[in-house]
Amino acid sequence: MIRGNQSFQKAANGALVMRYLRSHAPVSRTEIADGLGLTKSTVSNIVNELIAAGLLREAAVSGGDSGGESTAVGGGTQARGGRPRRRLELNAGSTVVLGIDVRPASYDAVALDLAGHELGRCSGGVSTTVSSPGEFLELLEEIFRAARERLLDSSAAYARAADSHRAPRTGPTLLGVGFGLPAYVDAVAGRVVSSTLFGVSDTEVAAPMAERLGIPVLIDNDANCVAWGELTPSAPSCLLTVLLRLHRDRAGRRLPSGAGIGLGIVVHGQLHYGHDFAAGEFRSIDWRASYSGQLAQDDWIPERQPESREDAASPDGEGVRRDPRTAHGTREMVRELLANLSVPISILRPERVAYAGNLLEMSDVVSAVLADELRDRYVNPEVSGCPIVPARSGYGAVAVGAGAMFLERVFAVPALGTERPSAVPSWQELLEGLRSGAGGGHV
Amino acid sequence: MSTVLGIDLGGSAIKWTVSRADAEFAPVETRPTPSSPEEIVEAIRGIVDAAREPHAGAGTDPADGDSAAEAPRALCLGTPGLVDDQGHIRGAAANLPGWGNRPVGEILSEALDIPVTVQNDTTLALFAEYRAGSARDARNVVGVFIGTGIGGGLCLDGEVYLGHRNLAGEIGHVTVVPNGAPCGCGRRGCLERYAAAVGLRRVCRELAPAYSASERRPESPLAARVKADPGTLTTGEILEAEDEGDPLASAVIGQAGEMMARALGSVINTLAPELIVFGGGVMEGGPALMEATRLRLPPYVLADALSGVSFTTAPLGPGAGAIGAALYAREAWER
């Protein structure tokens, strides 16, 4: 927790420097000070701490002292008539976070470096059956350990990180993990309010998972994670994301809960959670008479609908997609979804809408339906011009977003009046943990 | 503190107020809206000139002496229609023929010797409620302003939300009945066709024959009134009849509430606001439409979102747009 003005200011300045480097590196201390309006001594103190913690490093500088104009030389800039300015960059390979997209029968996971770049991703099935909160935590632990083993313990992803970032021999520090869950989530308290799919409610997750795993754990709703993944430094300040999930069990059978649809909302450049974290729900107010009811009743979609890219690429996946009944059902589903989305789009007028999950397999249908129907629902072409596009990270949108959420939360600039998840380590805890090597654990 | 002028341009009236200090406003004044865009600009020029007269807008605090007579430093105009971030009205402006599709901000800046900001009228009305009215303590507020048309405004996470290029809040033309009643916008089944003033009168005239006298029930007084002279029916008459228990009026308001619930249900599911503020001319006749909407929301809204939302009518009333414009003018000027 942040206490007192001094630690608050220190955390704020530290986060500002980290965020500045994410979008501007490599830069000198002087450029950081100028860019953020901080004194050079403040920047130097922060930078020294961040270097000691392994989060920053000085870029290699070639060339010697010379007079004349400032020029970029290798990784450094030579000041006029002085010694070269040391340029700083994120020590991206020093630290990794995992982002995990949890589904009833499978998962996707990604490893991200400090800059949010993806180092690797994997998918897998799960064996734990959930019928209690304890078993839900066991499931998350099982998924985490499998993902860590595949992404980090095996050398492939780490070797890529080490090659590209000259990581130290000790390996990167695992800073923490973000889970994207198909659940109604209180993201600040780290609690699952309810999850129909897993049959759990009012369950603390972040704190007990952090205890189990020995690293900070953050959770959020899976649709919100798609929005987190879209929040790059250059992202527009108002966005809408749509996640469609045709949930299946391990045998490929349709689950009784039907399809899951969630919205992620970004306003003023921040995730919008609404009252009690209840924002982002979707419900049809308009559906066609040609089939029965809300699209959440996805019973026209044959079973064994692919849940991952690997499945979709398989012969079975192709067969499912070519099934005429599926084609009709898919078109009706997309039509209903987009028709109903016209309300939030008209109200919010986001700069773009990004879609993820099983909608990615329906991109051609989305385009066709948009062309022949959706535009009719908007009174004004300025509003109907809102682009509706696949999410940046494609099939990994939830997992990448969960990792991005972790990084954004940890390096968020604290602001008075905003809630910070209790599971997020304080600035001091973060730096001390990294300096001592206990801030997560070397991989 | 600088004097600013807030003007609310409506289909039938222009309302304005002068503000010399934050949250202090001269009484809202009103004049009829002229018919042509050129005359509207002249009317606004007249309001600005009048506000520059000594003592205009004074009276909020006579002890301030000279400052009470200070000329306005900035003007904000609230107007119907989608107003982009350059003060350009995108598309038609409801009830103001010829006013839409024009760079109103640019026109007024050239015509008036004062910095001008142009904003959507319902956004400003909600801004007034958010800063000085019923929504002061809420972080997430949806405003629905029902008059001749229906406009929406949003305050999200403690700030007014305008959306990409200021085009957020378009709720009046959300489709609530696929292939429904034709709308002036060229589409069908828009919310305005069922729940705004013109829509309420249209539905009332359509339903009236079914509420004539029969063996099972006497004729609805409102149905008799419609039959006698359908062309002069007013929205106020429908609301008064509803208050007196007239079955036709109840059916009209009930159907409007159903359509409002369809549109608002989606908004509540998406945004999970704490508060929904109902305002605009139709609400001056009483809260019947708000109550009818609230009753019909449960089938469209998930329980978690609905349990956290409250409903209120806008206490600032018809002057909210002008007050919001003055508040917005001050913020824009001080920025």
Side-chain angles (χ1 to χ4, degrees):
Chain A
M1 299 300 290
I2 296 168
R3 293 191 301 273
N5 285 336
Q6 200 172 5
S7 57
F8 181 89
Q9 197 59 51
K10 188 174 180 180
N13 290 340
L16 282 168
V17 169
M18 283 296 292
R19 299 177 82 83
Y20 192 81
L21 276 151
R22 281 180 76 175
S23 51
H24 292 84
V27 287
S28 69
R29 289 168 174 79
T30 303
E31 287 166 332
I32 297 171
D34 290 346
L36 295 174
L38 297 172
T39 66
K40 287 178 190 170
S41 62
T42 298
V43 169
S44 286
N45 288 339
I46 293 168
V47 162
N48 290 342
E49 277 204 286
L50 294 172
I51 289 174
L55 294 172
L56 297 189
R57 65 181 181 184
E58 291 184 318
V61 177
S62 61
D65 197 11
S66 69
E69 298 296 316
S70 295
T71 52
V73 179
T77 299
Q78 290 176 328
R80 184 196 301 258
R83 62 191 174 84
R85 285 180 192 158
R86 305 291 294 188
R87 311 202 93 190
L88 298 157
E89 62 187 13
L90 294 179
N91 190 12
S94 67
T95 309
V96 283
V97 300
L98 291 186
I100 302 180
D101 168 16
V102 178
R103 299 186 295 272
S106 58
Y107 70 90
D108 287 331
V110 298
L112 303 181
D113 70 15
L114 199 53
H117 297 136
E118 192 175 327
L119 300 172
R121 67 171 71 179
C122 68
S123 300
V126 296
S127 58
T128 303
T129 302
V130 173
S131 59
S132 69
E135 288 173 354
F136 182 58
L137 300 183
E138 278 174 28
L139 170 76
L140 297 184
E141 183 172 350
E142 174 192 325
I143 291 174
F144 166 79
R145 296 198 184 286
R148 187 176 68 174
E149 184 181 342
R150 293 178 65 181
L151 287 171
L152 303 178
D153 294 348
S154 66
S155 59
Y158 171 60
R160 278 200 295 280
D163 284 348
S164 57
H165 303 296
R166 298 180 293 282
R169 283 173 183 275
T170 51
T173 299
L174 180 56
L175 197 58
V177 57
F179 286 101
L181 304 175
Y184 175 9
V185 172
D186 179 338
V188 170
R191 185 170 58 93
V192 167
V193 179
S194 64
S195 172
T196 308
L197 283 167
F198 289 109
V200 294
S201 61
D202 201 19
T203 301
E204 298 293 334
V205 172
M209 285 306 296
E211 199 165 314
R212 281 169 177 250
L213 307 182
I215 53 172
V217 174
L218 294 175
I219 64 171
D220 207 334
N221 166 266
D222 51 7
N224 283 339
C225 286
V226 177
W228 280 110
E230 295 289 311
L231 266 182
T232 62
S234 60
S237 64
C238 43
L239 281 167
L240 188 65
T241 60
V242 188
L243 176 67
L244 170 67
R245 281 281 161 76
L246 304 175
H247 290 296
R248 299 293 182 265
D249 67 13
R250 273 172 279 160
R253 291 184 298 253
R254 186 184 308 111
L255 293 176
S257 58
I261 301 160
L263 308 179
I265 300 148
V266 173
V267 300
H268 312 305
Q270 304 286 326
L271 262 282
H272 171 75
Y273 289 104
H275 182 70
D276 280 346
F277 294 88
E281 293 289 355
F282 175 91
R283 191 162 210 177
S284 286
I285 58 168
D286 167 24
W287 58 84
R288 302 285 159 138
S290 55
Y291 65 95
S292 57
Q294 298 264 329
L295 59 78
Q297 296 166 11
D298 62 335
D299 54 0
W300 63 84
I301 304 286
E303 299 189 352
R304 295 182 57 76
Q305 182 74 3
E307 275 215 346
S308 68
R309 181 167 46 180
E310 289 78 3
D311 292 342
S314 70
D316 279 353
E318 283 300 309
V320 166
R321 293 180 67 189
R322 289 194 192 115
D323 183 303
R325 187 162 160 262
T326 305
H328 174 74
T330 300
R331 189 174 180 86
E332 289 298 293
M333 169 183 266
V334 170
R335 194 185 295 280
E336 181 185 338
L337 177 63
L338 292 180
N340 284 283
L341 271 182
S342 69
V343 182
I345 291 173
S346 294
I347 294 296
L348 283 169
R349 189 28 176 121
E351 196 162 335
R352 72 167 182 259
V353 177
Y355 59 85
N358 293 93
L359 273 175
L360 293 167
E361 297 143 19
M362 307 172 186
S363 288
D364 49 345
V365 183
V366 171
S367 301
V369 170
L370 271 178
D372 71 14
E373 169 149 339
L374 189 59
R375 285 169 202 279
D376 290 345
R377 294 200 169 248
Y378 297 114
V379 66
N380 193 304
E382 293 284 334
V383 178
S384 66
C386 176
I388 301 182
V389 298
R392 295 173 58 240
S393 304
Y395 286 88
V398 174
V400 169
M405 175 264 294
F406 189 94
L407 286 170
E408 283 292 320
R409 293 277 200 204
V410 168
F411 298 112
V413 179
L416 293 173
T418 59
E419 289 184 287
R420 185 174 168 90
S422 55
V424 175
S426 74
W427 192 249
Q428 207 56 39
E429 288 165 350
L430 177 74
L431 296 184
E432 285 172 6
L434 287 168
R435 276 197 299 266
S436 68
H442 288 290
V443 177
Chain B
M1 189 167 273
S2 301
T3 298
V4 294
L5 178 58
I7 301 179
D8 178 23
L9 172 62
S12 56
I14 303 176
K15 302 185 181 79
W16 71 94
T17 183
V18 173
S19 170
R20 292 175 42 247
D22 212 14
E24 287 185 17
F25 309 96
V28 174
E29 297 186 58
T30 303
R31 58 151 292 169
T33 302
S35 55
S36 76
E38 293 74 21
E39 289 172 312
I40 290 172
V41 173
E42 281 310 304
I44 292 170
R45 187 202 301 280
I47 292 167
V48 173
D49 288 344
R52 283 174 168 151
E53 295 291 319
H55 309 301
T60 51
D61 187 358
D64 279 0
D66 289 346
S67 66
E70 183 195 52
R73 298 286 186 89
L75 157 66
C76 176
L77 175 76
T79 171
L82 289 172
V83 184
D84 73 12
D85 48 5
Q86 302 299 309
H88 193 132
I89 299 182
R90 298 289 171 181
N95 314 308
L96 285 173
W99 186 248
N101 289 308
R102 292 159 63 91
V104 169
E106 197 179 308
I107 292 168
L108 290 178
S109 293
E110 285 176 8
L112 308 170
D113 183 22
I114 187 173
V116 178
T117 310
V118 182
Q119 189 53 269
N120 172 264
D121 53 358
T122 53
T123 295
L124 293 174
L126 181 63
F127 190 52
E129 295 293 342
Y130 185 61
R131 284 294 166 82
S134 57
R136 275 175 297 183
D137 299 325
R139 279 180 62 78
N140 296 293
V141 188
V142 174
V144 186
F145 294 86
I146 309 162
T148 311
I150 300 178
L154 300 171
C155 287
L156 298 177
D157 299 319
E159 292 178 52
V160 170
Y161 175 80
L162 300 173
H164 181 49
R165 300 196 67 195
N166 280 19
L167 298 174
E170 179 64 277
I171 194 172
H173 294 277
V174 159
T175 305
V176 289
V177 181
N179 299 313
C183 181
C185 73
R187 272 78 175 175
R188 285 177 168 272
C190 296
L191 176 61
E192 285 189 2
R193 296 298 291 148
Y194 302 89
V198 176
L200 290 171
R201 294 197 291 269
R202 178 188 67 80
V203 172
C204 187
R205 283 190 287 264
E206 284 181 6
L207 295 183
Y211 288 83
S212 299
S214 69
E215 290 178 2
R216 296 174 58 189
R217 64 182 177 201
E219 183 170 53
S220 134
L222 183 62
R225 156 72 185 85
V226 171
K227 192 160 66 179
D229 186 4
T232 58
L233 178 69
T234 67
T235 311
E237 285 178 285
I238 300 172
L239 292 166
E240 279 172 27
E242 201 277 343
D243 196 38
E244 290 161 7
D246 184 281
L248 170 58
S250 296
V252 172
I253 298 299
Q255 187 183 103
E258 169 71 17
M259 301 309 167
M260 287 290 295
R262 291 183 184 182
L264 264 184
S266 180
V267 175
I268 294 169
N269 286 331
T270 303
L271 299 175
E274 296 109 88
L275 183 66
I276 298 191
V277 179
F278 281 74
V282 168
M283 297 310 297
E284 295 302 302
L289 182 49
M290 180 179 80
E291 295 302 333
T293 303
R294 183 154 65 171
L295 276 175
R296 289 164 177 80
L297 274 169
Y300 301 110
V301 184
L302 293 156
D304 291 324
L306 190 57
S307 64
V309 67
S310 303
F311 300 81
T312 185
T313 51
L316 295 177
I323 291 169
L327 286 164
Y328 203 84
R330 180 176 303 292
E331 287 217 347
W333 172 251
E334 290 174 354
R335 271 201 301 273

